[in-house]
Amino acid sequence: MTGITVLVVVAILAVATGLFLRSRSGAVRAVREPDTVTDDLYPLLLDAGATTDYATVLHFSADWCGPCAAVRRVVQQVLDDRSDARELELDIDAHPILARELGVLSLPTTFVLDTRLQRRSRIAGVPSAAALRSALDAL
């Protein structure tokens, strides 16, 4: 009887954890206070191809990441009708230092950077087109 009780409790915890993680996936979270770009981060962003001419949608991906293709499609869909933002897709294996500095722990991870290269929004998972548009509109 104890074994069944433990099994039921573990199953309930697993389902609750899964639902919690699923609810956060793709959600746009605004950076509470836009940080200043540190002396270490600014050159890394510039070397990776970020520009101060436009807002930047920076997303980290990898060849082995399945959901990253979905992020690529959403970003293209949103940026096709915008002239005020550019896409920058970086392979996490090619830019591990930048990924570490930005706190990327899972793929796909997307950031919306303003023209000063400050992080304004962070998205873990695949965002909806409407959510990404609203993050860009907030700039």
Side-chain angles (χ1 to χ4, degrees):
M1 187 65 172
T2 304
I4 293 175
T5 304
V6 169
L7 182 61
V8 169
V9 169
V10 168
I12 290 171
L13 289 174
V15 169
T17 302
L19 291 173
F20 173 73
L21 292 175
R22 186 174 184 187
S23 71
R24 290 180 50 117
S25 179
V28 176
R29 289 187 298 276
V31 175
R32 290 194 182 133
E33 286 188 31
D35 57 341
T36 57
V37 179
T38 64
D39 292 337
D40 296 337
L41 189 56
Y42 193 78
L44 289 173
L45 287 167
L46 291 176
D47 288 344
T51 177
T52 57
D53 298 332
Y54 303 97
T56 303
V57 178
L58 167 64
H59 57 104
F60 284 91
S61 63
D63 292 337
W64 45 265
C65 173
C68 293
V71 172
R72 193 174 304 116
R73 287 189 299 272
V74 169
V75 170
Q76 278 304 121
Q77 177 186 358
V78 169
L79 294 183
D80 278 347
D81 30 322
R82 297 186 78 105
S83 61
D84 61 341
R86 297 290 183 259
E87 173 188 21
L88 178 59
E89 180 177 2
L90 298 178
D91 188 305
I92 194 166
D93 297 324
H95 298 276
I97 296 171
L98 181 58
R100 185 180 66 236
E101 290 293 323
L102 290 171
V104 176
L105 299 175
S106 64
L107 291 180
T109 298
T110 305
F111 295 94
V112 176
L113 308 174
D114 63 16
T115 56
R116 295 173 293 159
L117 300 182
Q118 292 182 334
R119 290 174 280 182
R120 302 300 295 266
S121 299
R122 178 186 182 111
I123 307 159
V126 181
S128 68
L132 186 56
R133 273 190 197 95
S134 69
L136 286 167
D137 289 342
L139 295 180

